[in-house]
Amino acid sequence: MGPSGSGKSTFLHLIGALDKPTEGKVLIENVDISTLDNGQLADLRRRIGFVFQFFNLIPRLTARENVELSLAINGLGRNERQKKAERLLEIVGLKDGMNHKPTELSGGEQQRVAIARALANNPKFLLMDEPAGKF
Ligand SMILES: Nc1ncnc2c1ncn2[C@@H]1O[C@H](COP(=O)(O)OP(=O)(O)O)[C@@H](O)[C@H]1O
Ligand SMILES: [Mg+2]
């Protein structure tokens, strides 16, 4: 917690292996993540679900496709990922909106798509940036 500009998002990006510190170290499971190569960083990021403050949904893709993309990156086949994306969107209460693009959804609905996407690969860690703050 902290006021706007105090560094909450920066901190989450650092511990989510999305940003690199100019000073100090980030240890995840006792590993200094600055020692990881790009492939190892990608493996680590796949185990971290991240809900961004401004969602970072892909505007040209529907809600379902946004979730499916995350599953495709992890190598799930077409049918499986379609089914799993629908199930995840149902869990977050967005089954009806799943064929809409982000601009056709409310802020809170976009946030739920982002949560479904973050949960898609059964992450070990789930990082959420102001998940209940705005809508
Ligand atoms: N990419 C960036 N480059 C330089 N400064 C940044 C960048 N992003 C954020 N900042 C600055 O870092 C500070 C912390 O920002 P941020 O982590 O977004 O805070 P919060 O999420 O708590 O509102 C702010 O002063 C902000 O202006
Ligand atoms: Mg922030």
Side-chain angles (χ1 to χ4, degrees):
M1 283 188 286
S4 164
S6 64
K8 304 181 296 295
S9 294
T10 304
F11 179 74
L12 284 171
H13 292 158
L14 287 168
I15 65 172
L18 298 171
D19 202 354
K20 285 190 172 147
T22 47
E23 283 181 52
K25 284 180 189 164
V26 178
L27 305 184
I28 297 181
E29 295 175 324
N30 291 320
V31 176
D32 175 354
I33 64 169
S34 71
T35 65
L36 302 180
D37 65 28
N38 284 339
Q40 291 169 317
L41 274 175
D43 287 340
L44 172 61
R45 290 183 189 120
R46 272 199 283 276
R47 297 167 55 223
I48 301 175
F50 204 105
V51 181
F52 293 91
Q53 182 166 13
F54 301 109
F55 321 134
N56 291 354
L57 297 174
I58 296 177
R60 295 172 63 92
L61 300 182
T62 64
R64 196 185 65 199
E65 289 164 346
N66 265 281
V67 178
E68 274 189 46
L69 181 60
S70 176
L71 295 164
I73 287 167
N74 281 272
L76 214 64
R78 190 173 234 287
N79 284 343
E80 275 177 284
R81 65 180 190 250
Q82 216 166 326
K83 253 186 247 162
K84 186 157 188 196
E86 283 176 25
R87 197 162 69 239
L88 286 158
L89 287 165
E90 194 172 1
I91 289 168
V92 299
L94 215 77
K95 201 173 169 69
D96 290 341
M98 73 184 178
N99 292 317
H100 289 288
K101 293 186 177 162
T103 52
E104 297 162 347
L105 298 169
S106 74
E109 287 173 331
Q110 289 178 49
Q111 188 165 42
R112 285 188 270 151
V113 178
I115 291 169
R117 179 181 61 182
L119 293 171
N121 295 304
N122 308 316
K124 177 152 189 191
F125 307 102
L126 184 62
L127 300 176
M128 304 175 86
D129 196 349
E130 301 202 32
K134 292 176 296 297
F135 306 100

